[in-house]
């Protein structure tokens, strides 16, 4: 169905002239006496609905089904006509509900049988209906604005359903001619207006309603073209259940609906709570729901039955009590809104209540743009391999990691982050082990102080990606920089002032920390590798089949040597000063042979004694014997 | 979308094609040449496609059932024999059989045929209009065959490459089968919508909340090597020669976001909502192939801002952390879904329908049942009474109001001696109010007015 097919706008024009107050002559017994109370009680005389009541309740049923299945943008405008027209609602979305219409209908009340019939006509309403079809709906307006220069693609079509008691076929023809003329007039008016649209297609469905037991004065007529703008069809129907059936068929035709009957639904009996019987419930829905049946040619297998009028069929499906497994995704080609044909019957309401299942929480939602922004923040630093991260393996970092990705931080958040940092400093002082992966690194992996250096670098990288967000984020970064232990060369550099050339030089030499402009991949992660004398790529190292690590070479650069106390958290001014002096001084003398040729900062002393002494011991032993 | 190649092997296909007297081909040879080109393309760029080869004349024969073995298809092509005359109806029946047997009826299928016929367009129209006829431009020769198959390949068999984004993480992916363009409304939006080559994850949602939603198509999402110059398949020879590893080998060794995403979705039991274009969304999820193997898949929803009514507008969804209160509750005991519609559906509210007599009788009986249990059931009695009153006023059914008033008065006279004195007061009060409403007097017949219980002082 096109967005702006005739189904977009439906005008109900219901006759409110005095003759509609006549009885439908279909009687309803509403005093159903139970046997025990029947003695001596005179039952109430049956009531009968007027033609008006029949027309109103059937049109409301049409609207109920329509609104259930198309809650949006299939619109109804309800007009009643007597000595003038009364428009009960507008095309606006907020006016589209049966409750709104019922309220307006109550205000109108039943037709006044004493009104002068000469003044009353359905024509007032029909003219108003054409005028109404020219009025632009919210959806038409929105689409015209969205399409800009192709706004002419927004069509204006509509349907008029007229429930009346016509006098004759000639009378019907007169009504059709009158509608045709009004369309032409109104289209001229619409051409010069922004809020009106010319009608491109109008479908008149005239339903002639007459009391039971009378002969009809109007003949049925299938759809015919009155003009390129107007088609018309006439249905002559007895009031009461015939009218209800007719409008039920019409709503299905008008909105591409089809019927499915769910059979064998087990349900507790009302009277006997411990017994259960099987019921059937008929549902209406978009006919596409049956598409797959037709494709497979299985429709007859699913079971169809023809209804009384031979026009509509219903597909029967057998109820299966669903095994709810909400953690599984099933392949689903279609989901369709439904409306029970008999909405307040007990089986229908049992079924719908079961399906609605009392989920009535409502909550406010936030724009998706904020979700995207959050994803962006959360993925600024996101190691993809678990063994390549230290901080995300540490429970102690969790509070900070959770907070730092927030768009804004409170002072309390900053405090929590700072506490996390202090806690890490404390761990470092206590020399607590870190969850640094040793997979593939054959041996114990990096030393403790090296581990902490990697951890601090990673933490700093994480926080740096957020530091620009707010001052409070920056404060967290400042805290880390102030508290973390640093390799001596960095301390040196700070005190000597940061000269650009020198920095570049160092970057080349040993990959230093001032590489803010690089992403984490090439700075932090790779730096760790470069520091380890540019071993093979870490990715390979992590694989169980990776080659042996390269032979450990003695470190030659004095910068790599860290005094043991360096790794133990915050240091006193004195220590910092003496470290600096030591570092500076260390450059002023030739490096000790032992330190220069150490392996992992270790150098075995008195190596030459090994061979000689070994021999001695042996000899001595021999000698003692 | 699987492919059926339906090859005409009638005698007409053996007609010679003269090429300025240089060489002589049969039409059949041209067709085989074109198909070989297609199969070669598929073998290297569209390997996941299942293809089957059928031959037909007055009868039909399945030469190669659906397979990804393109060598087998080419082999079969080279062994074609010639038969009698063309009869397409039988062949199409055969296609229908073969397809339904292998794929079921819900599977769209591409159909290839290789003979010129006049009524093909009519056939296309009958089949629902989704299809296209490729004809050769210019003389019948190898070159025009290549051009024609080139067009077909570009249109239908070019792989769909995209970049999957999630914040700062991303991965190059192939989406298979390629997502087809969708026409939303032939009138308002005649241009088909195509899936963007930038797929952006907008968030994650529980499987239970998205609840097996309807989708228009499903696709595999496969990470691909970034360097497209290098043969993606990676042949064995490069390894032996110990040359630089191929791009796909490198890709296999570097961490890939698709792997992370797939693993996470599987572990968490969630799906990722992905934006496919303006106001068009889909979902990424892990789909188990077998007990051991699962794939990252993407399903496309109907285009539009609100493809799944129970989620509301996708653009209105947001991160849990930004909600004032956790919509799932602190103990994960509730869910914000399904989103409740602004106006409840008829079946979710207590609507009144009296089209069938039984509906009206039930409603009247309900009132009478409660009337007999006054004053215990005062609230229910008035609730049911007011529901009937509202409907009767809307339907202009004043006669019913009078009728029910009479019934209540009769109930009043039939009250047993043991009845609470309040019952009589409430019954006559209710009857009187209904009668007033039935006059249409605006003071008593207002739709939103409710009859309230009479204030009595029998508190004991």
């Amino acid at each position: 169905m096109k967005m702006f097919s005739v189904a977009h706008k439906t005008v109900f024009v219901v006759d409110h002239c005095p003759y509609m107050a006549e009885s439908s002559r279909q009687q309803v017994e509403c005093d159903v006496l139970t046997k025990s109370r029947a003695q001596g009680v005179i039952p109430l005389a049956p009531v009968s609905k007027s033609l008006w009541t029949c027309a109103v309740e059937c049109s409301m049923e049409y609207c109920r089904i329509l609104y259930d299945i198309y809650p949006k943008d299939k619109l109804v405008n309800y007009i009643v006509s007597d000595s003038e027209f009364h428009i009960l609602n507008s095309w606006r979305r907020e006016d589209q509900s049966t409750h709104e219409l019922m309220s307006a209908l109550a205000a109108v009340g039943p037709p006044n049988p004493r009104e002068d019939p000469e003044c009353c006509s359905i024509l007032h309403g029909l003219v108003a209906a054409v005028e109404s079809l020219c009025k632009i709906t919210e959806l038409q307006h929105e689409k015209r604005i969205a399409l800009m220069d192709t706004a002419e693609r927004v069509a204006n079509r509509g349907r008029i359903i007229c429930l009346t008691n016509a006098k004759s076929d000639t009378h019907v023809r007169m009504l059709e001619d009158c509608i045709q003329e009004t369309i032409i007039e109104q289209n001229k008016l619409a051409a010069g207006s922004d809020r009106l649209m010319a009608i491109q297609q109008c479908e008149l469905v005239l339903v002639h309603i007459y009391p039971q037991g009378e002969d009809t004065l109007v003949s049925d007529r299938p759809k015919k073209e009155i003009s390129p703008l107007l088609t018309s069809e006439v249905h002559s129907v007895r009031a009461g259940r015939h009218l209800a059936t007719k409008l039920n068929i019409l709503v299905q035709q008008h909105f591409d609906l089809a019927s499915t009957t769910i059979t064998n639904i087990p349900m507790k009996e009302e009277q006997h709570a411990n017994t259960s019987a099987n019921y059937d419930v008929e549902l209406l829905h978009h006919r596409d729901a049956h598409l797959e049946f037709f494709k497979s040619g299985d429709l007859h297998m699913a079971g169809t039955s023809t209804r009384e009028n031979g026009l509509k069929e219903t597909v029967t499906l057998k109820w299966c009590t669903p095994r709810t497994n909400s953690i599984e995704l099933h392949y689903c080609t279609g989901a369709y809104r439904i409306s029970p044909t008999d909405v307040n019957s007990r089986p229908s309401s049992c079924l719908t209540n079961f399906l609605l299942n009392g989920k009535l929480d409502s909550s406010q939602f936030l724009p998706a743009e904020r979700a995207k922004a959050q994803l962006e923040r959360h993925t600024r630093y996101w190691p993809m391999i678990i063994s390549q991260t230290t901080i995300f393996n540490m429970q102690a970092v969790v509070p900070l990691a959770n907070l730092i990705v927030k768009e804004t931080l409170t002072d309390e958040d900053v405090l929590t982050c700072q506490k996390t940092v202090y806690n890490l400093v404390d761990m470092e002082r206590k020399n607590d082990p870190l969850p640094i992966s040793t997979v593939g690194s054959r041996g114990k992996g990096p030393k403790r102080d090296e581990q902490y250096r990697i951890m601090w670098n990673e933490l700093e990288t994480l926080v740096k990606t957020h530091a620009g967000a707010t001052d409070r984020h920056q404060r967290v970064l400042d805290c880390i920089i102030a508290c973390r232990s640093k390799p001596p060369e960095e301390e040196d550099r700070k005190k000597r002032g940061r000269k650009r050339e020198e920095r570049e030089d160092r970057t080349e030499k040993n990959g230093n920390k001032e590489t803010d402009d690089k992403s984490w991949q090439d700075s932090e992660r790779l730096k760790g590798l470069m520091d380890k004398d540019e071993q093979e790529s870490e990715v390979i190292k992590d694989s169980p089949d990776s080659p042996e690590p390269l032979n450990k070479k003695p470190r030659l650069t004095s910068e790599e040597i860290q005094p043991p106390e360096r790794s133990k958290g915050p240091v006193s001014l004195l220590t910092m000063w003496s470290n600096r002096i030591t570092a500076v001084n260390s450059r002023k003398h030739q490096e000790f042979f032992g330190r220069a040729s150490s392996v992992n900062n270790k150098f075995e002393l008195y190596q030459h004694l090994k061979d000689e002494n070994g021999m001695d011991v042996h000899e001595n032993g021999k000698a003692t014997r | 979308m699987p492919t059926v190649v339906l090859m005409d092997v009638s005698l007409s296909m053996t007609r010679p094609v003269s090429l300025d007297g240089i060489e002589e081909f049969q039409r059949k040879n041209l067709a085989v040449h074109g198909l070989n080109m297609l199969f070669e393309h598929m073998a290297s760029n569209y390997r996941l496609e299942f293809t089957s080869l059928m031959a037909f004349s007055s009868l039909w024969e399945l030469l190669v059932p659906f397979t990804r073995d393109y060598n087998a298809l080419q082999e079969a092509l080279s062994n074609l024999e010639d038969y009698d005359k063309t009869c397409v109806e039988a062949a199409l029946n055969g296609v229908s059989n073969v397809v339904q047997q292998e794929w079921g009826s819900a599977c769209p299928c591409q159909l290839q045929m290789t003979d010129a016929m006049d009524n093909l367009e009519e056939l296309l129209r009958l089949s629902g209009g989704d299809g296209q006829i490729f004809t050769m431009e210019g003389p019948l020769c190898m070159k025009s065959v290549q051009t024609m198959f080139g067009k077909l390949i570009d249109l239908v068999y070019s792989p769909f490459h995209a970049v999957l984004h999630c914040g700062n993480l991303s991965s190059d992916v192939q989406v298979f089968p390629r997502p087809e363009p969708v026409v939303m409304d032939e009138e308002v939006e005649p241009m088909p919508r195509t899936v963007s080559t930038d797929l952006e994850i907008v968030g994650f949602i529980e499987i239970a909340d998205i609840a097996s939603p309807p989708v228009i198509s499903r696709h595999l999402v496969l990470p691909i090597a970034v360097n497209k110059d290098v043969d993606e398949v990676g042949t064995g020879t490069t390894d032996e020669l110990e040359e630089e590893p191929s791009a796909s080998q490198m890709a296999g060794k570097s961490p890939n976001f698709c792997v992370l995403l797939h693993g996470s979705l599987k572990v968490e039991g969630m799906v990722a909502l992905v934006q496919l274009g303006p106001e068009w969304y889909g979902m990424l999820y892990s789909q188990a192939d077998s007990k051991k193997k699962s794939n990252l898949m993407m399903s496309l929803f109907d285009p539009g801002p609100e493809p799944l009514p129970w989620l509301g507008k996708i653009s209105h969804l947001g991160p849990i952390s930004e909600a004032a209160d956790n919509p799932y509750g602190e103990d994960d005991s509730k869910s914000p879904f399904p989103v409740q519609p602004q106006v409840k559906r008829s079946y979710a509210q207590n609507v009144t329908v009296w089209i069938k007599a039984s509906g009206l009788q039930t409603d009247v009986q309900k009132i009478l049942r409660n009337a007999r249990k006054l004053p215990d059931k005062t609230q229910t009695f008035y609730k049911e009474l007011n529901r009937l009153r509202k409907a009767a006023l809307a339907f202009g059914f004043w006669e019913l109001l009078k009728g029910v008033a009479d019934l209540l008065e009769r109930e009043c006279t039939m009250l047993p001696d043991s009845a609470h004195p309040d019952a009589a007061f409430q019954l006559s009060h209710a009857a009187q109010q209904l009668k007033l409403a039935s006059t249409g007097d605006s003071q008593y017949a207002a739709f939103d007015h409710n009859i309230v219980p009479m204030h009595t002082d029998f508190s004991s």
Side-chain angles (χ1 to χ4, degrees), chain B residues 136-161:
Chain B
M136 299 214 285
E137 283 165 22
L140 288 181
C141 63
M142 286 295 183
K143 215 179 145 206
S144 356
V145 163
Q146 280 170 8
T147 318
M148 179 180 80
F149 273 88
K151 269 190 207 158
L152 172 70
I153 286 167
D154 285 349
L155 203 81
V156 190
Y157 295 106
S158 52
F160 184 89
H161 291 157

Side-chain angles (χ1 to χ4, degrees), chain A residues 3 31 68 365-366 370 379, chain B residues 185 316-317 322 346 410:
Chain A
M3 192 181 284
D31 189 15
D68 271 356
F365 290 92
L366 306 127
R370 299 194 52 76
T379 54
Chain B
D185 189 286
H316 286 189
L317 299 174
E322 300 219 341
S346 69
R410 189 187 69 196

Side-chain angles (χ1 to χ4, degrees), chain A residues 3 29 31 37 48-49 53 64 68 157 330 332 342 359 365-366 368 370 372 374 376 379 539, chain B residues 168 185 187 212 215 253 275 315-317 319 321-322 340 346 353-354 356 361 395 399 410-411:
Chain A
M3 192 181 284
E29 202 74 62
D31 189 15
R37 291 171 55 88
S48 83
K49 296 169 186 171
T53 298
R64 178 187 71 77
D68 271 356
R157 307 185 180 93
H330 299 278
C332 170
D342 199 1
K359 271 201 169 182
F365 290 92
L366 306 127
R370 299 194 52 76
K372 285 191 208 169
Q374 177 170 318
E376 191 280 320
T379 54
V539 184
Chain B
N168 292 299
D185 189 286
E187 189 172 85
S212 301
V215 298
K253 278 174 182 155
Q275 183 152 17
S315 60
H316 286 189
L317 299 174
S321 59
E322 300 219 341
Q340 292 302 308
S346 69
V353 179
W354 292 332
K356 285 188 181 164
Q361 284 156 355
F395 298 153
E399 197 186 334
R410 189 187 69 196
E411 286 300 322

Side-chain angles (χ1 to χ4, degrees), chain A residues 1-4 28-33 37 41-44 46-50 52-53 56-58 60-61 64 67-68 71-72 97 99 102-103 105-106 109-110 143 147 153 155 157 244 292 295-296 326-335 337-340 342-344 352-353 356 359-361 363-368 370-372 374-377 379-380 382 384-385 407 539, chain B residues 100 105-106 166-169 185-190 200-204 207-208 210 212-215 218 253 255-257 260 271 275 283 285 306 309-310 313-319 321-324 327 334-340 343 345-348 351-357 360-361 364-365 368 372 391 393-400 403 406-407 410-411 414 447-448:
Chain A
M1 205 191 300
K2 286 178 195 156
M3 192 181 284
F4 297 112
V28 185
E29 202 74 62
C30 62
D31 189 15
V32 187
L33 291 169
R37 291 171 55 88
V41 179
I42 304 150
L44 190 79
V47 289
S48 83
K49 296 169 186 171
S50 63
W52 166 258
T53 298
V56 167
E57 69 175 2
C58 293
M60 279 301 106
E61 182 68 358
R64 178 187 71 77
Y67 288 143
D68 271 356
K72 253 172 43 188
S97 78
H99 185 265
M102 300 266 278
S103 172
L105 282 165
K143 284 290 162 189
L147 288 173
R153 285 183 191 158
R157 307 185 180 93
E292 296 299 322
K295 265 197 210 162
S296 61
S326 58
I327 53 155
E328 236 177 285
L329 270 181
H330 299 278
Y331 180 41
C332 170
T333 54
R337 288 199 167 88
I338 56 102
S339 186
D342 199 1
V343 67
N344 53 4
T352 50
N353 286 340
L356 291 170
K359 271 201 169 182
L360 287 167
D361 278 319
S363 76
Q364 68 278 32
F365 290 92
L366 306 127
R370 299 194 52 76
K372 285 191 208 169
Q374 177 170 318
L375 274 179
E376 191 280 320
R377 290 198 304 277
T379 54
R380 281 183 200 166
W382 186 293
M384 277 205 254
I385 295 178
E407 194 179 20
V539 184
Chain B
Q100 293 211 15
S105 63
C166 176
N168 292 299
L169 305 173
D185 189 286
E186 57 195 63
E187 189 172 85
V188 178
E189 206 186 315
E200 194 181 2
I201 291 179
V202 295
F204 301 88
I207 285 178
I210 203 147
S212 301
V215 298
R218 294 180 295 175
K253 278 174 182 155
N256 189 295
F257 169 62
L260 171 68
V271 306
Q275 183 152 17
M283 62 173 177
Y285 55 96
E306 197 181 337
W310 54 94
K313 280 202 171 78
I314 300 283
S315 60
H316 286 189
L317 299 174
S321 59
E322 300 219 341
K334 54 180 188 172
S335 166
F337 305 109
V339 171
Q340 292 302 308
V343 180
R345 310 284 171 254
S346 69
Y347 45 83
V351 291
T352 312
V353 179
W354 292 332
I355 284 177
K356 285 188 181 164
L360 179 57
Q361 284 156 355
V364 172
Q365 288 307 311
L368 293 182
R372 284 161 206 150
L393 288 171
F395 298 153
F397 200 179
W398 293 355
E399 197 186 334
L400 178 71
D406 290 344
L407 280 175
R410 189 187 69 196
E411 286 300 322
M414 289 166 65
F447 185 73
D448 289 321

